[in-house]
Amino acid sequence: MNGSTTPHDYQSRDQRTDRTRWRLLDERGRQRWKYLRTEEEVKEWPLSLADRWHLGLPVDLPSLPPAKTPLDAATNGLSFFENLQLPPGNWACEYGGPLFLLPGIVIAWYVTNTPISEEYRIEISNYLFARQNKEDFGWGLHIEGESSVFGTAMNYTVLRLLGQDSEDPMMIKARSLLHKFGGATNGPHWAKFWLSLLGLYEWEGVNPVPPELWLLPDWMPIAPWRWWIHMRQVFLPMSYLYSKKYVHPLTPITRSLRNELYTQPYSSINFFDHRNTINPGDNYHPKTPLLNSINWFLVNIHFPFMRIAPLKRRAEAQAYQLIQYEDENTDFGCLAPVNAPVNTICRYITEGPDCDAFQRHIERLDDFLWMKDEGLLCNGTNGVQTWDTAFAIQAALSVPGIAESSRWKPMLTRALEFLEDQQIREECRSQVQSYRQSRKGAWAFSTRDQGYTVSDCTSEALKSVLLLQNTNSTTEEKYPQLVSDERAKQAVDVLLTMQNASGGFASYEPTRGSAWLMEQLNAAEVFGRIMVEYDYPECTTAVVTALSLFSKLYPDYRRHDIQSTVERAVDWIRKDQRDDGSWYGSWGICFTYAGMFALESLASVGETYKKSERVRRACGFFVDRQNGDGGWGESYKSCEDGVWRDHPEGSQVVQTAWAVIGLLEAGYEDDGGRVMERAVELIMSRQQANGEWPQEGIEGVFNKTCMISYPNYKFIFPIKALGMYASRTGNMSIL
């Protein structure tokens, strides 16, 4: 089916593909789902156990000996998790949750007239219907969120583009909710941008994203190079398309959508008057007076009177050059599936459908898609390959006896080989011109091709490599020394460039601009803390522990630099602690996640429960929030509200493991309340007979409001918690 769908293309909501024909192709970490259409293909490419598990098909693994001790349970969990390791050595999983990502991919296909396969059309529709809220039939910002105009307008539109009938009962209910919200005119900025490309909204009603921003001198406090990398790379191609005012020619479907998305006839809407209208439920970060003033100036003064043609051409040329740099430096994969489809459209409208750049983009968009039992979703990046593999190694090594055992050496060796392969070996082309952080020696979140340095990914990968390569094995040979001393030092060199003046560490880059000033210019509306990099206890801890381990193994390399960096970083951890003993987490939910990391930082410099009042306060924060069943359960609302919120479904295995790890790192001393024993008992009691744990609530977060899934965490952190607990207690019987 081409992008320009015709009315008779309506599909039934009851359609399904044959799940047994889907296969996950993993080429050095590049993951793509393929659908096999012939019997010959099926015969040549058997369905793997990992494929079955990801697709929700029976895996038929035998029951393991019942776990009586934490060590038994950890070993059983690792036995199951081992089956999910892929041939390159990494672990894969969905990285879904956000519901604003698929629309960008589908709209990019549609406006570039790219054929959409029948399998994609069916399974994307299945996923969106599966994730339609059952109470009001809308969609939210993420899969656990309340319905919003952003989620509902965008996903309703996508379903129509894919051929769903507007008179389908579920579509009628979604449309009714959208109208109750006031229609698509009440969508946030990003919704209005996407709809304008389709001809479903008018550019005059979109607040400005001028490419002239990329002409600002670097010294200016609002210059884009100071922005957080995701905002920078999203607004870059947005600004190019905004300036071009590109609109895809109307089709029968989009003509119909003009009548479906609004509460009044399309021709009667004054879109200019709706630049700032937004549904209250979408308006997490309202536009500030400063931003409104700037928008007024741009709309009423700059564009009509100051924007001469040479300036427009120069600004567009600069933006397009930066888009080209991004494409080249990521092999057309881009940073994430927000800027990737926008870059795709930019290359299409500028160089045409036959250019190599556009064709490579179309091929790469598949990297973001993930097939599961509910259908086809869009991951938050092209995967979590490096991140989860590094944590999987550390989890395994926390279990007594695993590192030295020949039984687990093949699994861990393959994981080590994967991390070695994924270390970034060269700097970006045009690094200075594209404002990219140094990356030679670093690791990215997903793959080397994606190519973005991340402080905690580099740190956790380095730790895992160093731990394995310096493990004494009972087998004849130690683990292979794949990452040389020189390459380990390169990783450290990168990390030492990333510390902020505060002492803390951010994610992709050091903080480059004023948070107070830049958040005044936050135009995204649906997110918070998005305009610049921030200090994070998670990233800071990862760097502290990696540098500390490195220094033990290489005591003479940049000793004073490392010592000073660690001291300043730990001091920031101390200062970031709240009065109630907690730390706010930005990448996992929320206080539980951050507390686990922060306590590890303090423990690495000898601050433990016995010696430190701040550690006792942190432990008290955890203990006070333990549930009656022994576990912990924190709602994603904590991330939005900035205060602890109980999880509506009670204790969560992953969060319970985080709390246990934090308390163990702190050296918490129970006064007879069986705090950790009861927590470990809960983790063990929820383990299934084959060693796995069922999926519970969503685990991750970004920018305060959007949750994201980390399904491998239900293996990684329970295994680590159980292993650490067994090491501390001597593996006493629990169940």
Side-chain angles (χ1 to χ4, degrees):
M1 182 172 75
N2 288 325
S4 51
T5 317
T6 55
H8 62 269
D9 286 320
Y10 296 145
Q11 74 169 81
S12 166
R13 241 187 322 115
D14 298 326
Q15 287 184 292
R16 296 287 186 274
T17 61
D18 182 351
R19 299 295 166 85
T20 67
R21 289 180 175 267
W22 288 94
R23 302 290 187 273
L24 178 60
L25 176 64
D26 189 335
E27 299 174 306
R28 295 182 66 186
R30 184 186 180 193
Q31 299 167 173
R32 289 168 291 165
W33 282 95
K34 301 291 185 179
Y35 190 77
L36 309 183
R37 296 177 178 174
T38 68
E39 292 301 326
E40 289 75 16
E41 289 175 313
V42 172
K43 187 178 297 185
E44 292 175 3
W45 191 350
L47 195 66
S48 72
L49 189 148
D51 291 336
R52 287 183 173 276
W53 189 80
H54 291 306
L55 292 166
L57 298 172
V59 293
D60 299 325
L61 287 176
S63 296
L64 299 170
K68 300 295 183 183
T69 69
L71 182 55
D72 294 339
T75 304
N76 285 354
L78 197 58
S79 296
F80 185 92
F81 195 41
E82 179 187 29
N83 291 297
L84 305 183
Q85 188 179 29
L86 299 177
N90 64 294
W91 279 266
C93 67
E94 70 164 286
Y95 187 47
L99 288 172
F100 61 91
L101 301 176
L102 265 176
I105 301 284
V106 175
I107 291 171
W109 289 333
Y110 197 84
V111 303
T112 62
N113 299 304
T114 298
I116 304 173
S117 73
E118 185 75 358
E119 296 83 19
Y120 276 14
R121 182 173 63 85
I122 290 171
E123 294 300 350
I124 290 173
S125 297
N126 286 338
Y127 178 75
L128 291 179
F129 280 124
R131 285 300 177 175
Q132 191 173 20
N133 285 332
K134 301 303 183 286
E135 294 78 16
D136 58 18
F137 305 99
W139 291 267
L141 186 65
H142 57 87
I143 58 175
E144 293 190 6
E146 296 91 349
S147 295
S148 64
V149 172
F150 192 15
T152 303
M154 297 307 299
N155 289 297
Y156 178 92
T157 298
V158 164
L159 286 167
R160 292 287 284 121
L161 297 180
L162 294 174
Q164 289 297 326
D165 190 342
S166 63
E167 296 308 304
D168 180 289
M170 301 301 283
M171 298 292 282
I172 292 173
K173 292 175 180 178
R175 190 166 66 247
S176 175
L177 178 68
L178 179 59
H179 290 179
K180 182 180 176 181
F181 284 147
T185 51
N186 285 343
H189 183 259
W190 287 14
K192 292 170 178 174
F193 166 82
W194 283 117
L195 293 176
S196 295
L197 291 172
L198 289 166
L200 301 178
Y201 195 85
E202 297 299 317
W203 282 110
E204 68 191 46
V206 181
N207 270 317
V209 191
E212 287 89 324
L213 286 165
W214 310 98
L215 299 178
L216 293 176
D218 290 350
W219 57 263
M220 289 196 67
I222 63 168
W225 76 278
R226 301 180 185 275
W227 304 357
W228 186 46
I229 187 64
H230 281 275
M231 285 299 286
R232 198 158 79 228
Q233 297 296 12
V234 169
F235 272 70
L236 170 64
M238 275 188 174
S239 72
Y240 185 78
L241 293 177
Y242 176 85
S243 185
K244 293 289 188 182
K245 299 294 191 293
Y246 178 77
V247 179
H248 184 63
L250 289 176
T251 67
I253 288 289
T254 52
R255 288 184 190 279
S256 180
L257 276 166
R258 280 187 163 191
N259 296 320
E260 298 167 32
L261 295 175
Y262 301 99
T263 59
Q264 65 187 89
Y266 189 87
S267 60
S268 70
I269 301 172
N270 184 336
F271 287 94
F272 182 83
D273 287 347
H274 286 286
R275 286 188 303 110
N276 295 310
T277 58
I278 182 170
N279 172 52
D282 290 74
N283 202 17
Y284 181 80
H285 191 287
K287 291 183 288 294
T288 64
L290 176 60
L291 180 59
N292 284 330
S293 298
I294 292 173
N295 286 338
W296 183 92
F297 171 80
L298 290 170
V299 169
N300 294 289
I301 305 296
H302 176 73
F303 288 120
F305 302 115
M306 300 175 64
R307 198 187 201 213
I308 58 176
L311 175 62
K312 178 178 182 291
R313 288 195 297 269
R314 183 179 168 219
E316 289 177 352
Q318 175 67 7
Y320 196 70
Q321 184 175 58
L322 291 171
I323 290 167
Q324 291 174 304
Y325 289 155
E326 163 73 350
D327 292 345
E328 293 167 3
N329 286 324
T330 60
D331 193 21
F332 296 91
C334 293
L335 174 62
V338 182
N339 74 316
V342 193
N343 278 24
T344 301
I345 299 169
C346 291
R347 303 305 291 261
Y348 172 83
I349 70 167
T350 304
E351 300 178 50
D354 297 325
C355 75
D356 289 341
F358 171 69
Q359 294 298 328
R360 288 287 289 124
H361 265 300
I362 290 298
E363 177 192 350
R364 278 294 196 177
L365 290 180
D366 287 350
D367 297 9
F368 298 112
L369 302 177
W370 185 267
M371 184 63 191
K372 60 176 297 188
D373 55 345
E374 296 174 319
L376 194 68
L377 59 88
C378 184
N379 282 336
T381 61
N382 61 329
V384 294
Q385 297 89 318
T386 293
W387 181 248
D388 277 9
T389 301
F391 271 144
I393 291 171
Q394 293 176 37
L397 296 181
S398 72
V399 181
I402 294 294
E404 300 79 19
S405 170
S406 59
R407 158 72 179 84
W408 302 101
K409 189 172 182 182
M411 178 192 77
L412 292 171
T413 299
R414 289 198 303 274
L416 175 61
E417 290 169 347
F418 179 79
L419 291 185
E420 183 276 331
D421 185 53
Q422 295 303 312
Q423 188 179 22
I424 301 170
R425 306 298 302 278
E426 59 186 10
E427 298 290 4
C428 294
R429 296 185 294 275
S430 307
Q431 179 181 345
V432 175
Q433 294 91 328
S434 54
Y435 305 110
R436 288 287 298 273
Q437 176 69 21
S438 176
R439 70 177 190 176
K440 184 177 181 180
W443 277 269
F445 181 72
S446 55
T447 62
R448 183 173 66 179
D449 278 353
Q450 193 261 8
Y452 273 89
T453 298
V454 188
S455 64
D456 54 355
C457 300
T458 299
S459 299
E460 301 297 354
L462 178 62
K463 280 162 57 179
S464 298
V465 166
L466 294 178
L467 287 168
L468 270 183
Q469 292 189 171
N470 290 277
T471 292
N472 292 321
S473 174
T474 56
T475 57
E476 292 183 2
E477 297 182 1
K478 293 183 177 181
Y479 285 91
Q481 306 298 295
L482 301 180
V483 177
S484 66
D485 293 351
E486 179 185 1
R487 288 170 58 185
K489 292 174 182 177
Q490 289 171 353
V492 168
D493 290 342
V494 171
L495 292 175
L496 291 175
T497 69
M498 300 186 75
Q499 190 168 34
N500 288 323
S502 63
F505 282 80
S507 52
Y508 294 88
E509 303 160 337
T511 304
R512 295 175 172 182
S514 162
W516 177 86
L517 174 61
M518 292 307 304
E519 293 298 348
Q520 297 284 317
L521 306 181
N522 180 354
E525 298 159 322
V526 296
F527 305 113
R529 285 167 55 100
I530 195 173
M531 290 301 296
V532 297
E533 282 277 14
Y534 288 85
D535 297 309
Y536 304 112
E538 305 99 307
C539 296
T540 304
T541 292
V543 177
V544 164
T545 52
L547 292 179
S548 297
L549 175 61
F550 177 87
S551 279
K552 291 178 182 177
L553 299 171
Y554 302 90
D556 296 328
Y557 187 75
R558 300 191 66 175
R559 180 179 57 181
H560 296 298
D561 292 337
I562 292 173
Q563 182 180 355
S564 172
T565 297
V566 169
E567 288 175 354
R568 293 177 57 229
V570 174
D571 190 52
W572 178 83
I573 289 284
R574 297 183 184 111
K575 293 175 182 175
D576 191 54
Q577 187 180 27
R578 297 186 174 191
D579 291 341
D580 62 5
S582 69
W583 289 265
Y584 178 85
S586 296
W587 303 107
I589 301 172
C590 167
F591 297 99
T592 318
Y593 188 67
M596 172 184 67
F597 280 98
L599 287 170
E600 185 183 6
S601 265
L602 296 174
S604 73
V605 294
E607 286 196 40
T608 59
Y609 188 81
K610 273 187 177 180
K611 303 175 184 177
S612 170
E613 185 273 336
R614 67 171 50 87
V615 172
R616 289 192 289 274
R617 277 193 292 123
C619 292
F621 179 87
F622 276 138
V623 173
D624 290 347
R625 286 157 182 79
Q626 187 175 29
N627 293 326
D629 60 8
W632 280 264
E634 185 181 4
S635 167
Y636 75 81
K637 289 292 185 180
S638 297
C639 305
E640 295 180 352
D641 300 341
V643 295
W644 176 282
R645 302 295 187 199
D646 289 331
H647 199 289
E649 297 178 3
S651 296
Q652 304 286 296
V653 163
V654 171
Q655 293 176 354
T656 300
W658 291 342
V660 169
I661 293 167
L663 291 170
L664 287 169
E665 291 283 3
Y668 173 70
E669 295 183 359
D670 200 340
D671 60 0
R674 299 180 59 244
V675 169
M676 283 190 287
E677 183 180 344
R678 290 189 298 121
V680 168
E681 184 176 341
L682 179 132
I683 294 172
M684 293 175 62
S685 70
R686 294 195 184 177
Q687 189 176 33
Q688 297 182 337
N690 62 5
E692 71 173 316
W693 283 271
Q695 181 64 35
E696 297 178 340
I698 203 163
E699 304 90 352
V701 63
F702 59 90
N703 302 124
K704 293 179 74 71
T705 59
C706 196
M707 306 307 124
I708 196 161
S709 301
Y710 288 85
N712 285 337
Y713 279 10
K714 64 179 175 285
F715 297 105
I716 290 167
F717 289 105
I719 290 169
K720 181 175 182 178
L722 293 167
M724 291 175 65
Y725 187 78
S727 295
R728 172 168 170 172
T729 65
N731 198 35
M732 65 180 184
S733 179
I734 298 290
L735 296 180

